[in-house]
Amino acid sequence: MSDKVLVAIAETVVVASLGLGLVLLALMLTLFFRKTVEVEKQIAAPGTQLDSLRKMWGNGPIGRWMRVVNVFFYFALRNLPSIGPRMELRLVEERKRLPLALKLWAIVPVATFGFLMFLFFLSGWYLGAFD
């Protein structure tokens, strides 16, 4: 492949990943947020750190984003041997097992957003935006 073709591909990836990422961010903070609230109701018992974070950040756009990310990191990091058990004790009190579909609503959108932003910055780096 010639350098012009690679640059065109990188430019397309930058635009597409940023556009899709912003659309996904808007969806996570509006339509998908009700699923995050369902997950929080299941895992955040009164007095746990996740419950206090919910009260602290509120329901504005930044607060919603922080709540979505906290729930995502709970599911993403709770199985790590050194971090997971301490985090699980501090953050939540999971009273019953959550259905897989509900867990996926908390994990997949944020992971996809992170992947799109990774592509955005990688393509921007290739194009020399950080030189």
Side-chain angles (χ1 to χ4, degrees):
M1 265 191 234
S2 70
D3 192 43
K4 287 184 179 184
V5 172
L6 289 176
V7 168
I9 290 171
E11 289 171 346
T12 304
V13 168
V14 164
V15 172
S17 62
L18 183 62
L20 289 173
L22 289 176
V23 167
L24 186 58
L25 179 65
L27 286 172
M28 281 189 291
L29 298 181
T30 55
L31 297 176
F32 299 167
F33 188 70
R34 60 188 167 88
K35 293 293 186 177
T36 302
V37 171
E38 276 185 54
V39 171
E40 279 182 334
K41 285 180 185 177
Q42 296 288 326
I43 64 174
T48 58
Q49 188 173 356
L50 198 57
D51 183 50
S52 62
L53 287 171
R54 176 177 50 200
K55 292 174 186 170
M56 180 178 72
W57 285 107
N59 209 19
I62 294 173
R64 285 182 173 210
W65 176 245
M66 294 304 292
R67 289 168 62 186
V68 166
V69 168
N70 278 312
V71 170
F72 168 76
F73 277 124
Y74 164 69
F75 287 118
L77 301 177
R78 75 178 183 169
N79 292 323
L80 293 177
S82 61
I83 300 171
R86 286 184 290 145
M87 184 181 69
E88 196 164 11
L89 284 175
R90 191 181 67 222
L91 272 180
V92 302
E93 182 181 300
E94 194 170 347
R95 292 171 287 231
K96 60 182 181 179
R97 305 277 301 161
L98 286 175
L100 179 61
L102 200 53
K103 287 181 186 179
L104 290 176
W105 273 103
I107 294 171
V108 171
V110 180
T112 305
F113 177 78
F115 178 71
L116 288 171
M117 291 305 102
F118 173 76
L119 285 178
F120 173 76
F121 285 111
L122 184 67
S123 299
W125 171 74
Y126 178 77
L127 292 171
F130 303 115
D131 291 340

